[in-house]
Amino acid sequence: NSDFFHFYPANYELQNVISVGASDRNGGLLKISNFGKSTVDIVAPGKNIYSTLPNGHFGYMTGTSQATAFITGLAALIMSRFPDSPQGVIGRIISSGRPLASLRGRTRNGAIADASRALDPATSQPLASGF
């Protein structure tokens, strides 16, 4: 629980930092994932993600580092479509997340990232609370 045991850089209280948890394919929080009702902003897939490995290899990896890559990609997509401040991009990612019962009380908004909602131009996302 990163509300009590801080992990850095995810726990820096800066407006341009987003803290990401990792989920399984059903949206359940991984046992190895960080969580925290006031410190983890959003969750993304992080189990058995096909990735690059050293020496030109590829394989499956699990963890918040894998989930963070999804959020980084989503932030880049948002910036390409809606140029905004880092706080605006983070606000859009967090506020457009899809709430899941399994994440309620485990993150700021109990949601998993939803790229479709985040990229919807009709969706005007206010800055997420807590910033």
Side-chain angles (χ1 to χ4, degrees), residues 32-50:
I32 62 167
S33 177
N34 56 327
F35 64 94
K37 188 173 182 174
S38 65
T39 53
V40 175
D41 298 306
I42 195 79
V43 171
K47 184 174 181 183
N48 296 329
I49 307 300
Y50 198 63

Side-chain angles (χ1 to χ4, degrees), residues 12 24 31 40 43 50-51 57 66 70:
Y12 282 122
D24 61 25
K31 290 180 182 180
V40 175
V43 171
Y50 198 63
S51 185
H57 293 94
Q66 302 307 302
F70 281 101

Side-chain angles (χ1 to χ4, degrees), residues 66-102:
Q66 302 307 302
T68 299
F70 281 101
I71 299 302
T72 301
L74 180 55
L77 286 169
I78 291 169
M79 284 295 294
S80 73
R81 196 145 186 203
F82 312 105
D84 202 350
S85 67
Q87 298 86 356
V89 172
I90 291 170
R92 183 172 279 276
I93 291 170
I94 295 169
S95 61
S96 65
R98 184 170 32 94
L100 295 175
S102 61

